[in-house]
């Protein structure tokens, strides 16, 4: 157990786990995720019917909530805590400990120098001059931010504890990042919603109105902040090649206790509300279709057509389950329900085939409609997509195609064999929203910034030590004889430091200047 704990809390294991965490996050970046855009996940299943179920069993579409990602995450958290706590204790002890005494053999250190004796033999004798020189050396080192200890006939100095401080700040910040992610996972929530423009399709922040949502384990349905949004305007600009240049949405916001107001937001500038942030993900078109049944009764729907490419070619369904109700009896025949599967083209090609828009702007909008009549299967209680015809009903013969598809522009009408018709009335717009609350975001931001601050000294800081000692050249080490003393200097880098030799030589030159100056002043006073 002790050996396992040592292995887990070693820096090598922490680096390996950090690397594995980065590798494990790659599928979350390359594959669509359910908590970001469920529609993209469904599209991936349709395009990869064999591979998608295998990836789903491995949690590839919920990477950051998968057990294997959580296992790496928790092991890294444990390893970091077990690694940095002893290091913090050792670092605090090192900060309180003065620099070590001068080694006996300075000449065995990687850097060694001797100051000429003639700089010291002045005034009241070499010992007095040497003491003055050592005091000047100590003052110089303190000025250069060295930790200095002066002993009789010696000076010890140390520098570079900021490297270990930066290391600890970096690793504590990494732990704080993991804590911030955990806070967001446990106490955060998110939801995606397609919001159609107009007062007939407002959105209020309840789980029932989300197309897809996820709540943290510590979040209940009633914890969501109350607010309502209505899309009042949307503006999109595109380049000539169809690439979007800007999206700007304008919404009416209604929050309890505050007056109603209008807010605008864009892709990189979310709408910030009390307890939630609203992000603009995408945009598309929703044709407005009016169906007149065989009895002359009219129904109008605004059907969002989901974009299938960058030109905003849209696919969708306009369903009329209450069509063809006999006004005399009020009875609805489920086998006379009507639906229209459609392909929307914001900019219709000049020549057929009409399968793809030429530009995302509404330059020549049209919709291609395929009519179906029969039982839509809405009363079976089986979940299905509102954006597609249930092909099970078509295959079973309960829902049959009617006539040939037709291309309609705004104002045009398509008439069916029973005298009913559908009219392309207008075009509305919709936006896709991601509403999120992450209580750990502030901690993530602060710890990420602190992580970068700690990284700089951790990478570029160098711990090193220097010593200076007044040494007698006389065999009996007597300091009473003029001209019999020198100052030895030695330097030792605690880590690999290629530039330490140059730094040591520059320091010796500065020490030579300051000791000469100190002994010169002493001569003047004498």
């Amino acid at each position: 157990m002790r050996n396992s704990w040592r292995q887990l809390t070693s820096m090598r294991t922490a680096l390996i786990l950090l690397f594995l965490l980065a590798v494990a996050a790659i599928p979350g970046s390359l594959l669509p995720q359910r908590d970001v855009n469920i529609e993209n996940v469904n599209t991936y299943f349709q395009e990869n019917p064999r591979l998608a179920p295998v990836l789903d069993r491995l949690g590839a579409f919920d990477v950051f909530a998968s057990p294997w990602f959580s296992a790496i995450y928790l092991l890294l958290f444990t390893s970091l805590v077990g690694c940095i706590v002893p290091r913090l204790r050792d670092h605090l002890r090192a900060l309180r400990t003065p620099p070590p005494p001068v080694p006996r053999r300075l000449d065995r250190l990687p850097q060694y120098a001797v100051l000429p004796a003639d700089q010291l033999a002045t005034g009241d004798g070499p010992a007095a001059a040497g003491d003055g020189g050592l005091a000047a050396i100590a003052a110089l080192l303190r000025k250069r931010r060295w930790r200095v200890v002066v002993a009789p006939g010696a000076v010890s100095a140390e520098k570079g504890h900021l490297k270990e401080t930066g290391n600890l700040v970096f690793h504590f910040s990494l732990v704080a990042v993991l804590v911030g992610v955990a806070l967001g996972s446990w106490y955060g929530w998110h939801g995606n919603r397609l919001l159609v423009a107009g007062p007939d399709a407002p959105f209020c922040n309840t789980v029932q109105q989300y197309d897809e949502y996820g709540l943290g384990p510590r979040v209940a349905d009633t914890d969501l902040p109350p607010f309502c949004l209505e899309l009042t305007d949307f503006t999109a600009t595109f380049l000539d090649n169809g690439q979007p240049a800007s999206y700007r949405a304008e919404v009416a916001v209604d929050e309890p206790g505050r007056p109603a107001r209008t807010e605008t937001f864009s892709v990189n500038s979310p709408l910030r509300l009390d307890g939630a942030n609203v992000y603009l993900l995408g945009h598309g078109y929703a044709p407005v279709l009016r169906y007149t049944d065989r009895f002359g009764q009219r129904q109008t729907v605004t059907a969002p057509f989901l974009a299938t490419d960058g030109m905003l070619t849209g696919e969708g369904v306009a369903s009329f389950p209450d069509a063809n109700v006999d006004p005399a009896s009020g009875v609805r025949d489920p086998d006379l329900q009507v639906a229209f599967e459609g392909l929307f083209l914001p900019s219709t090609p000049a020549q057929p085939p009409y399968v793809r828009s030429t530009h995302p702007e509404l330059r020549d909008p049209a919709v291609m409609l395929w009519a179906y009549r029969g039982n839509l299967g809405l009363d079976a209680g089986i979940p299905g997509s509102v954006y597609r015809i249930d092909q099970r009903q078509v295959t079973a013969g309960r829902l049959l195609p009617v006539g040939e598809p037709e291309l309609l522009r705004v104002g045009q009408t398509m008439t069916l064999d029973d005298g009913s018709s559908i009219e392309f009335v207008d075009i509305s717009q919709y936006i896709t929203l991601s509403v999120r609350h992450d209580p750990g975001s502030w901690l993530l931001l602060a710890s990420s910034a602190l992580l970068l601050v700690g990284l700089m000294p951790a990478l570029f800081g160098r711990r090193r030590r220097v010593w200076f000692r007044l040494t007698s050249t006389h065999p009996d080490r007597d300091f009473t004889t003029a001209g019999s003393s020198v100052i030895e200097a030695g330097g030792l880098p605690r880590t690999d430091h290629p530039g330490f030799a140059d730094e040591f030589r520059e320091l010796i030159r500065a020490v030579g200047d300051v000791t000469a100056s100190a002994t010169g002043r002493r001569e003047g006073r004498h």
Side-chain angles (χ1 to χ4, degrees), residues 306-328:
L306 300 181
T308 60
D309 56 30
M311 299 295 109
L312 296 187
T313 304
E315 294 181 353
V317 171
S319 300
F320 300 92
D322 297 326
N324 299 314
V325 176
D326 188 347

Side-chain angles (χ1 to χ4, degrees), residues 199-270:
D200 297 332
F203 159 70
C204 292
N205 190 34
T206 59
V207 295
Q208 291 81 8
Q209 293 204 23
Y210 281 110
D211 300 325
E212 182 273 333
Y213 70 92
L215 305 180
R218 301 296 183 181
V219 180
D221 296 359
T222 54
D223 294 333
L224 272 61
F227 63 84
C228 293
L229 302 177
E230 175 192 328
L231 179 61
T232 57
D233 187 30
F234 180 82
T235 304
T237 59
F238 302 90
L239 302 179
D240 293 337
N241 61 0
Q243 182 179 353
S246 66
Y247 286 165
R248 188 185 67 86
E250 181 180 283
V251 293
V253 182
D254 186 9
E255 292 182 284
R258 301 182 62 180
R261 67 188 190 278
T262 300
E263 298 281 356
T264 60
F265 62 104
S266 60
V267 174
N268 295 320
S269 179

Side-chain angles (χ1 to χ4, degrees), residues 504-517:
F504 183 79
R505 284 193 294 268
E506 192 279 330
L507 183 60
I508 292 301
R509 285 195 295 269
V511 166
D513 295 338
V514 75
T515 53
S517 174

Side-chain angles (χ1 to χ4, degrees), residues 128 148 156 265 346 485:
V148 178
S156 301
F265 62 104
S485 300

Side-chain angles (χ1 to χ4, degrees), residues 135-146 507 510-512 514:
I137 292 173
L140 173 67
L141 292 174
R142 290 191 181 98
K143 186 177 181 180
R144 297 191 174 201
R145 301 179 184 276
W146 290 75
L507 183 60
V511 166
V514 75

